[in-house]
Amino acid sequence: MSVDVTWLGHNCWSIRSGNHTILIDPFLSESPTAPKRPEEVAADVILISHGHGDHTGDVVAIAERTGAAVVTNYEISLWLAEKGVKKCVGGNLGGWSKHAFGDVQLTLAHHSSVLPDGTYGGNPAGFLVRTGGKQLYFACDTALFMDMQLIGAAGLDLAVVPIGDLYTMGPDDALQAVKWLQPKHALPCHYDTFPPIAQDGKAWAARVTSATGAKGHAPKPGETIAID
Ligand code: NI
Ligand code: MN
């Protein structure tokens, strides 16, 4: 069974697995590159990597409209519950949670995580997602770190890594990340949303394909890659 992964710009991803839709870091209404409005996206579960506004953006509105459960760290889950989100699963780094679509682990990320109103947002995370017989890793906002080798040891069908630089790792470190993660497919994210993180995604994907064992892809916002 294939799992379809659609880039909605920045670090926002929609994963379609069987009849489940998993939405990551919905930043749509204020994103210059988002191909969809918050009211147009489906979600059974929403994953929030950390507290920054370019990741938490539209989560409250989408959770309210869809009734989706939000999986995030404990501190952000408390903040979302205060904002009226009914179903929150608050975990912490290393922990797995089980869902109808499969399982998700909060993985290490080297970044920061304050919420838009200044509330402490706990530790930032990435996600390891098991669904439809596939293992998908979303690094989310992070620097390069060598423990990506451990994450890769799980055997990854897909790795999604930031290439924008400045706020996260840039293209060269992201290429090294793919070498350590050893996925079958690799996609870039967190770039071209704003001028300070402009990058050539196609060129990066070509470097991935030529210099690593992975196949690199650089979908445009709104484009879907089938992972099979
Ligand atoms: Ni961030
Ligand atoms: Mn960010």
Side-chain angles (χ1 to χ4, degrees):
M1 190 177 74
S2 104
V3 173
D4 292 332
V5 177
T6 304
W7 193 34
L8 299 179
H10 209 53
N11 192 47
C12 183
W13 296 91
S14 174
I15 304 163
R16 185 80 187 155
S17 173
N19 54 5
H20 305 284
T21 304
I22 306 146
L23 185 64
I24 299 181
D25 286 357
F27 173 58
L28 301 169
S29 56
E30 290 183 32
S31 166
T33 60
K36 289 196 174 196
R37 307 277 316 156
E39 50 278 13
E40 294 174 319
V41 296
D44 299 309
V45 173
I46 304 169
L47 312 182
I48 298 293
S49 64
H50 65 290
H52 295 159
D54 58 321
H55 298 258
T56 52
D58 299 296
V59 62
V60 174
I62 296 171
E64 188 175 347
R65 176 177 56 80
T66 60
V70 181
V71 180
T72 185
N73 71 28
Y74 180 69
E75 290 81 2
I76 294 173
S77 78
L78 295 182
W79 185 79
L80 290 173
E82 265 186 26
K83 301 243 173 255
V85 175
K86 302 255 180 338
K87 287 183 263 173
C88 291
V89 180
N92 214 323
L93 301 179
W96 287 92
S97 56
K98 292 188 189 307
H99 307 273
F101 71 81
D103 305 333
V104 59
Q105 183 185 39
L106 302 192
T107 56
L108 190 65
H110 290 288
H111 192 65
S112 54
S113 180
V114 70
L115 284 150
D117 61 4
T119 301
Y120 173 65
N123 288 311
F127 299 109
L128 186 54
V129 176
R130 288 187 191 141
T131 186
K134 302 289 187 291
Q135 300 210 89
L136 318 173
Y137 170 60
F138 294 82
C140 301
D141 285 15
T142 185
L144 178 66
F145 56 94
M146 213 170 186
D147 286 0
M148 284 180 171
Q149 291 176 106
L150 285 177
I151 295 168
L156 302 176
D157 297 284
L158 170 69
V160 179
V161 294
I163 67 164
D165 221 339
L166 187 62
Y167 308 116
T168 66
M169 60 180 149
D172 292 347
D173 281 355
L175 192 71
Q176 180 62 59
V178 174
K179 288 177 183 170
W180 282 337
L181 289 162
Q182 299 185 56
K184 290 186 184 140
H185 300 271
L187 305 179
C189 67
H190 213 274
Y191 75 102
D192 274 3
T193 327
F194 310 106
I197 55 172
Q199 297 290 348
D200 186 338
K202 296 277 179 213
W204 183 81
R207 286 173 73 194
V208 166
T209 302
S210 66
T212 79
K215 172 102 175 74
H217 312 260
K220 294 190 193 72
E223 229 178 281
T224 298
I225 303 290
I227 305 300
D228 45 22

